[in-house]
Amino acid sequence: MATIAERCPVARAGADAPPAPAHVPPELVLDTRFAAGIVPNDLVEPYRPADIVRDAAFPPIHYYPWPISGNRHGAWVVTRYEDIRRVYEDNDLFSSEGVAQFQMLAGETFPSIPLGIDPPDHGRYRKFLNPWFTPVAMNEREPRIREIIGGMIDEFAGKGEVDIAYDFGRVFPVKVFLDLMGFPFSMFDQFLDWEWNILHEEAIEKKAEAVRGILAYLRGFIAEKQAAPDNTLGSYIANGSIDGQPLTDDEIIGMTWFLWLGGLDTVASTVSQMFRRLAMHPGLQAQIRGDKSLINSAVEEFLRTQPLVNSGRKVKRDFEWHGVQIKAGDWVSVFNTSGNFDDAQFACPHQFDAARKNNRHFTLAGGVHICLGAHLARRELRVLLDEWFNRIPHEFRIKEGTDTTVVPSLLSIRNLPIVWNS
């Protein structure tokens, strides 16, 4: 019988890797960066490399020693659907305290709200914010979303070409988000520059500098909304109260900061990968163009096959999992890049099924911390496909000579020119 090294050629982490805690078995410290969504590839199916970490010969839990989930340290990793579900749903064992706490790099102590708050307090903040993100709220915002998307498409529809990643996908979701929050569009480039450095810059000081820059801006923005309230979400938070008690300064900046961090690039990255797939599969274009009733289920399938974020949680107490001793204070990261393709949950997981039913993927996380903006993201993508096929009823393709490399995570494709015969 083939050994695990032969069936699953995953190397142990090398000498250049950060050290693992003493209680971690050395044979479980593995280099799975290829499956973490951070290694570029030019595959038609960019998430294929993660298949190997679900092989029956691969350990159900292993240790990834590099910084992950916005932290400065490594984490245990689970790769199968049911294990991922457990991490998202077992709030008695797994905590979201400290998740995406980039603000700590600048010496800040406020939490990211609501993600960084555990139940039951988490529910208070979700209840406060939810009215802005319900399906009913999206129905009210849809005309404005259509206006933004339709107006942008009309600018290039007759030209027969657009850089769908840089000139469109990078821009329209941010326009929608800035409009929702009340941020001025003049901050567009500066926002994206700060976010890039926070999420992708390796030098800690550059990350910290970007955090300091955006937090200084956000505190000024909050002060402006408190002095002159309006009907935007930014003003709602800046002047908000829960159960009759005004929000504290930490609560206001914690919510405003977290929404800023999460509102800029998830839809942009999804759009870029979505159009890459469509451009490579003319038959899929024709299928959706010919049957608009597929748009909702197709959007879920695009989301499932493009998991952008691998989330993390902190362990609350010692326990044993898959024969491994996990300690309180350890971190566990879920590889959604793997779990979304688990054939125990999804039939033919690498087959793009635009009509797939019961598509319970983890791209938007799970449990009580499921993405606050999930309905907004879905609505933006559905409106985009509807408006696109209405306004550009032509088959499109990737422009000849284009580099189609993908980093299968956030900000994954910087440029993707597509062309069509108008």
Side-chain angles (χ1 to χ4, degrees):
M1 179 178 289
T3 66
I4 185 172
E6 292 168 334
R7 288 188 58 192
C8 296
V10 177
R12 290 189 185 181
D16 61 328
H23 64 278
V24 177
E27 66 272 16
L28 291 181
V29 184
L30 303 177
D31 187 350
T32 50
R33 286 177 289 186
F34 67 90
I38 62 174
V39 178
N41 69 63
D42 194 23
L43 301 173
V44 174
E45 299 282 347
Y47 296 86
R48 277 276 188 184
D51 286 357
I52 202 169
V53 300
R54 292 188 311 282
D55 190 285
F58 190 83
I61 188 167
H62 71 278
Y63 194 84
Y64 179 101
W66 290 273
I68 196 168
S69 299
N71 292 307
R72 296 194 188 187
H73 50 73
W76 295 102
V77 173
V78 290
T79 60
R80 287 139 170 108
Y81 187 93
E82 286 302 327
D83 289 339
I84 293 171
R85 187 211 297 269
R86 181 183 184 186
V87 174
Y88 280 134
E89 295 184 357
D90 190 346
N91 299 301
D92 292 331
L93 187 56
F94 300 102
S95 170
S96 65
E97 179 186 349
V99 173
Q101 293 287 102
F102 295 100
Q103 62 270 37
M104 291 190 298
L105 299 175
E108 300 280 358
T109 58
F110 67 83
S112 297
I113 301 175
L115 178 59
I117 303 293
D118 288 332
D121 288 340
H122 169 267
R124 297 170 57 244
Y125 296 116
R126 286 290 292 234
K127 183 179 180 181
F128 172 75
L129 292 168
N130 272 343
W132 291 79
F133 295 99
T134 63
V136 171
M138 293 308 103
N139 290 341
E140 295 173 354
R141 295 203 67 80
E142 182 171 315
R144 176 58 178 155
I145 295 171
R146 283 191 180 276
E147 179 185 356
I148 291 172
I149 292 174
M152 291 184 67
I153 293 175
D154 284 346
E155 290 177 2
F156 57 75
K159 298 177 181 178
E161 178 176 349
V162 69
D163 186 334
I164 197 68
Y166 193 83
D167 293 329
F168 182 75
R170 184 182 69 107
V171 180
F172 102 75
V174 180
K175 276 191 172 183
V176 172
F177 173 69
L178 298 182
D179 198 53
L180 174 68
M181 289 291 293
F183 291 132
F185 190 72
S186 60
M187 291 299 297
F188 176 87
D189 290 317
Q190 178 64 76
F191 278 179
L192 292 186
D193 184 57
W194 277 328
E195 190 197 31
W196 175 269
N197 285 337
I198 291 169
L199 295 179
H200 297 278
E201 175 57 57
E202 292 185 5
I204 294 297
E205 182 47 43
K206 278 199 171 183
K207 283 181 179 284
E209 181 183 356
V211 171
R212 285 191 291 269
I214 181 55
L215 290 180
Y217 173 82
L218 292 179
R219 286 188 167 109
F221 169 82
I222 289 166
E224 291 176 4
K225 295 301 181 184
Q226 289 172 335
D230 55 33
N231 61 354
T232 64
L233 175 54
S235 179
Y236 173 76
I237 295 170
N239 299 283
S241 61
I242 296 179
D243 297 330
Q245 294 296 316
L247 295 177
T248 66
D249 289 345
D250 277 0
E251 289 172 327
I252 292 171
I253 189 63
M255 288 188 212
T256 307
W257 148 258
F258 177 67
L259 289 174
W260 177 88
L261 185 66
L264 294 182
D265 59 24
T266 49
V267 175
S269 296
T270 299
V271 168
S272 299
Q273 290 193 39
M274 181 170 78
F275 272 81
R276 180 182 186 268
R277 180 182 289 272
L278 284 166
M280 289 180 168
H281 297 86
L284 180 57
Q285 293 181 47
Q287 183 185 16
I288 299 173
R289 185 184 296 111
D291 184 0
K292 294 285 195 65
S293 71
L294 290 172
I295 285 179
N296 286 8
S297 56
V299 162
E300 290 307 310
E301 189 73 335
F302 283 119
L303 288 170
R304 181 187 71 83
T305 57
Q306 300 166 186
L308 301 174
V309 178
N310 292 324
S311 304
R313 297 290 186 267
K314 187 164 68 174
V315 177
K316 292 184 177 182
R317 63 177 185 274
D318 294 1
F319 75 109
E320 183 178 308
W321 202 5
H322 295 300
V324 176
Q325 297 301 316
I326 313 296
K327 301 292 186 182
D330 285 355
W331 279 77
V332 175
S333 182
V334 298
F335 273 13
N336 298 324
T337 46
S338 168
N340 274 11
F341 301 92
D342 191 333
D343 60 9
Q345 174 69 21
F346 304 102
C348 304
H350 281 289
Q351 175 184 327
F352 189 97
D353 181 359
R356 188 181 294 272
K357 306 298 183 185
N358 301 317
N359 199 341
R360 297 184 178 91
H361 56 78
F362 290 128
T363 296
L364 300 169
V368 298
H369 290 287
I370 194 166
C371 177
L372 178 67
H375 292 304
L376 175 59
R378 288 183 168 107
R379 189 64 59 98
E380 289 177 314
L381 294 170
R382 292 168 183 172
V383 171
L384 168 56
L385 288 179
D386 188 37
E387 292 293 325
W388 180 277
F389 288 121
N390 281 340
R391 295 166 189 263
I392 304 181
H394 314 289
E395 181 181 303
F396 57 89
R397 59 197 180 277
I398 297 172
K399 189 174 184 179
E400 188 174 352
T402 296
D403 179 3
T404 54
T405 298
V406 177
V407 180
S409 61
L410 290 173
L411 304 177
S412 56
I413 303 174
R414 189 162 182 81
N415 298 96
L416 187 70
I418 59 173
V419 296
W420 58 92
N421 299 323
S422 56

